[in-house]
C-alpha cells in the first residue's frame, strides 16, 4: 500500500516536472517568434525579396514573365493594392511568409512526434526556430517559405494521417503546388521516399498499400501540370529576346562537388550549435532503430546531401532544407538529453536566438524606403530602368536579375553588348546603382571600379556613355560636355531632353539652360562654346529631391 502511494507521488511529480518543461519550451518558442516578427518589420529588404516582389508587379503590369517558378504572382497579386511602395508590400508579404513558417513549425513537430516524445518534438521545433538562418530568413519574402510550408504539411499528413483518398489527395496537391512555386522542392523528395517506405512496411508491404501510396506523386504531377498550364495561360505572350536577356538560371541549379558557398555553411553551423548537436547525436541512435524506421529517418535526413548537388545554397535555403532534417534528427535528443537536461538545452537555444536577434546589425530599410519615395517624386509616371535587384518595384525593370550568375548567363548569350539590345527594344531613361558594396555590379560599371570586369567591355562602354549622374544612385540618360569641347552622343533613349549647366549647341541649334528638345534615335552633336560645363539630360526639367540622398550601404548582408 505504502509502496503504491510512493509510486503515485513519484509519477505525479515527474508529470508536473514534464509539464513545466513543456511550458518552458513553449515560452522560448513564443519569445523567439516575437523577436523574429520584429525582424519581419524592420530587417533590410534583401535583393531577392525585391526581385520576387518585382515579378508580381511585372505580372500585374502585363509584362512578360516565364511560367516556371513564378506561380507566386498568382498567390500574391493582391499585395500591391494594399501598399503605397514596394517596401511596404514586401513587409505584408513577409507577414504571410511568417504564417507559412508557423505551418512549417507545426509540421516539424507533428513529424518528429512520430518518432520521439512530445517534449522532444517541441524541443526540436525550438532548436530549428532558434537556428541562425531560420531566425533571419525563415520568413523572408521568397519562394522558399511557401514551398517549405506546403512540402512539410504534405509530409506531416503522409507521416501521421490515415492513408485514405482525402489525405493522400491533399498531400499530393500540396506537393504539386510546392513544385510549381519552386523546382527546388524536389530536393525534399528523399524525405517522402523514406516515409513512404515506413508506411508501406506498416502494411506488411502489401500491393494495395503500395498503390495507395503511389497516389501522392500521381496527384502531385496532375496538380503541377494543371496549375502550370492555367498559370501559363494567364501570362503575357513570351518574347524570346526578353527571355534571353532575363538572366534566368533555373536550368542550371544542380552541380556536383563541395558546397559552392562553403562560407555560408560554416557560418550557419557556428550560428546554430544546438541544431548541429541535434544532427550529430542522431547518428548513434539511428543504429539502434528498427530497420524500417531507420530508413524513414535516413530519408528525412537525406536533404542534407543537397549541399553537395544544389548550387544556390545561400542562407535562405537552409530553413527549407533543414525542416525535414530536424524532424528526422529529433531522435538525437534521446541521446543528447541523457547528457544534458531538457531545460538547459531549451535555455541555450533561447539564448542563441536572442543573441542572433540582438547582433543582426543595423536596418537599412529606411534608406530603401527613401530611394523608392525619391523615384515617385522624380517621375510622374513609372519609367523603364536598369538596376540590380528590381528595387523600384512599381517601375518596369528592363534588364535581368544581376547576381554574378545572372551577369555570366547574359554574357554567354550575347558576347558583344546585351545592353544595346535592351536599349534598342524600348526607351530606358533610368539606371539605378543600388548594388551591395561587396558585389557592386552596375555601381562598379558607372564608377569604373575593378568589379566592372564582370561585364562585357562593350556593355561597360555603352552604359557609361549613355547615362550621367542625377541624384544619389539615380542616373539618367544624357551627357555632359566640358567648356569649349564638342562631343557626339548616341541617343539610345529617345524622348525629351533638358539643357543643363550652360548654353549648349545641339545639332546646330543654340539652346539655353532649362530649354528642352526632343531627340530620336540618332547621333547628336553637342558643342559647348561657353565657359562652364553644359549638357543634356533625359526628361522635361526633372527635379531631384531636396533632401540629400541616403548614404550607402543600402543593404544588410545575408
Amino acid at each position: 500500500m505504502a509502496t503504491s502511494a510512493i509510486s503515485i507521488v513519484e509519477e505525479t511529480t515527474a508529470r508536473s516536472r514534464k509539464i513545466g518543461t513543456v511550458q518552458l519550451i513553449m515560452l522560448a518558442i513564443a519569445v523567439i517568434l516575437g523577436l523574429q516578427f520584429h525582424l519581419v518589420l524592420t530587417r533590410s529588404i534583401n535583393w531577392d525579396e525585391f526581385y520576387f516582389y518585382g515579378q508580381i508587379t511585372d505580372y500585374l503590369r502585363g509584362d512578360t514573365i516565364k511560367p516556371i517558378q513564378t506561380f507566386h504572382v498568382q498567390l500574391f497579386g493582391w499585395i500591391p493594392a494594399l501598399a503605397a511602395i514596394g517596401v511596404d508590400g514586401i513587409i505584408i508579404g513577409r507577414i504571410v511568409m511568417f504564417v507559412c513558417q508557423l505551418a512549417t513549425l507545426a509540421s516539424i513537430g507533428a513529424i518528429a512526434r512520430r518518432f520521439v516524445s512530445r517534449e522532444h518534438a517541441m524541443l526540436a521545433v525550438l532548436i530549428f526556430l532558434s537556428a541562425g538562418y531560420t531566425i533571419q530568413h525563415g520568413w523572408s519574402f521568397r519562394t522558399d517559405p511557401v514551398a517549405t510550408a506546403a512540402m512539410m504539411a504534405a509530409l506531416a499528413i503522409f507521416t501521421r494521417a490515415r492513408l485514405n483518398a482525402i489525405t493522400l489527395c491533399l498531400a499530393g496537391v500540396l506537393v504539386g503546388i510546392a513544385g510549381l512555386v519552386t523546382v527546388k522542392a524536389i530536393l525534399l523528395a528523399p524525405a517522402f521516399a523514406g516515409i513512404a517506405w515506413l508506411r508501406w512496411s506498416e502494411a506488411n508491404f502489401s500491393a494495395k498499400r503500395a498503390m495507395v501510396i503511389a497516389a501522392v506523386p500521381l496527384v502531385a504531377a496532375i496538380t503541377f501540370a494543371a496549375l502550370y498550364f492555367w498559370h501559363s495561360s494567364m501570362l503575357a505572350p513570351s518574347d524570346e529576346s526578353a527571355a534571353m536577356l532575363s538572366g534566368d538560371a533555373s536550368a542550371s541549379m544542380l552541380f556536383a562537388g563541395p558546397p559552392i558557398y562553403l562560407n555560408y555553411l560554416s557560418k550557419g553551423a557556428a550560428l546554430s550549435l544546438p541544431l548541429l548537436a541535434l544532427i550529430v547525436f542522431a547518428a548513434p541512435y539511428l543504429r539502434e532503430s528498427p530497420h524500417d524506421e531507420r530508413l524513414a529517418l535516413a530519408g528525412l535526413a537525406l536533404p542534407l546531401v543537397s549541399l553537395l548537388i544544389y548550387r544556390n545554397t545561400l542562407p535562405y535555403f537552409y530553413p527549407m532544407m533543414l525542416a525535414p532534417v530536424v524532424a528526422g534528427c529529433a531522435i538525437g535528443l534521446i541521446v543528447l538529453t541523457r547528457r544534458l537536461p531538457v531545460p538547459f538545452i531549451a535555455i541555450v537555444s533561447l539564448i542563441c536566438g536572442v543573441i542572433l536577434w540582438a547582433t543582426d546589425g543595423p536596418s537599412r530599410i529606411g534608406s530603401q524606403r527613401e530611394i523608392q519615395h525619391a523615384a515617385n517624386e522624380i517621375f510622374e509616371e513609372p519609367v523603364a530602368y536598369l538596376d540590380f535587384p528590381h528595387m523600384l518595384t512599381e517601375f518596369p525593370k528592363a534588364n535581368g536579375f544581376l547576381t554574378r550568375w545572372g551577369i555570366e548567363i547574359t554574357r554567354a548569350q550575347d558576347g558583344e553588348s546585351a545592353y544595346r539590345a535592351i536599349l534598342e527594344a524600348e526607351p530606358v531613361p533610368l539606371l539605378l546603382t543600388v548594388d551591395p558594396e561587396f558585389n557592386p555590379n552596375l555601381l562598379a560599371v558607372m564608377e569604373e571600379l575593378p568589379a566592372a570586369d564582370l561585364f562585357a567591355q562593350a556593355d561597360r562602354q555603352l552604359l557609361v556613355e549613355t547615362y550621367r549622374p542625377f541624384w544619389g544612385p539615380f542616373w539618367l540618360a544624357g551627357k555632359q560636355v566640358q567648356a569649349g569641347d564638342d562631343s557626339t552622343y548616341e541617343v539610345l533613349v529617345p524622348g525629351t531632353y533638358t539643357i543643363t549647366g550652360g548654353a549648349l549647341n545641339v545639332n546646330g541649334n543654340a539652346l539655353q539652360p532649362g530649354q528642352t528638345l526632343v531627340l530620336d534615335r540618332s547621333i547628336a552633336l553637342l558643342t559647348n562654346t561657353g565657359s562652364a560645363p553644359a549638357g543634356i539630360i533625359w526628361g522635361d526639367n526633372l527635379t531631384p529631391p531636396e533632401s540629400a540622398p541616403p548614404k550607402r550601404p543600402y543593404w544588410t548582408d545575408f
Side-chain angles (χ1 to χ4, degrees), residues 273-431:
L273 294 179
L275 191 150
L276 183 62
L278 180 78
I279 295 173
V280 170
F281 279 95
Y285 190 81
L286 264 179
R287 293 193 295 268
E288 304 173 15
S289 303
H291 177 263
D292 296 325
E293 186 174 291
R294 191 186 315 156
L295 289 177
L297 293 170
L300 289 169
L302 209 55
L304 282 170
V305 177
S306 62
L307 294 172
L308 303 178
I309 61 172
Y310 179 60
R311 176 183 180 119
N312 209 27
T313 53
L314 290 163
Y316 56 82
F317 171 68
Y318 283 80
M320 180 179 189
M321 180 269 292
L322 287 172
V325 174
V326 170
C329 289
I331 59 166
L333 290 171
I334 297 174
V335 181
L336 186 58
T337 53
R338 292 172 187 166
R339 293 165 171 77
L340 298 171
V342 170
F344 176 80
I345 299 172
I347 291 171
V348 168
S349 298
L350 174 61
I351 291 172
C352 288
V354 172
I355 290 174
L356 285 164
W357 168 79
T359 58
D360 187 61
S363 173
R364 316 291 183 192
I365 205 166
S367 296
Q368 294 172 337
R369 273 197 175 96
E370 191 174 345
I371 290 169
Q372 291 191 337
H373 281 305
N376 292 334
E377 183 179 342
I378 294 168
F379 302 98
E380 292 184 1
E381 297 291 336
V383 298
Y385 77 110
L386 307 172
D387 85 332
F388 164 49
H390 209 329
M391 181 178 265
L392 304 182
T393 51
E394 289 76 28
F395 286 50
K397 179 174 166 65
N399 61 328
F401 189 24
L402 291 187
T403 59
R404 287 181 178 268
W405 194 2
I407 297 171
E408 290 168 5
I409 288 174
T410 302
R411 285 194 61 164
Q413 292 171 342
D414 189 335
E416 296 184 0
S417 176
Y419 281 86
R420 177 172 289 278
I422 292 174
L423 298 186
E424 288 177 348
E426 63 174 327
V428 185
L430 174 62
L431 183 148

Side-chain angles (χ1 to χ4, degrees), residues 97 188 243 248 250 274 298 307 310 353 558:
M97 298 303 181
L188 303 191
D248 179 26
S250 60
L307 294 172
Y310 179 60
F558 283 122

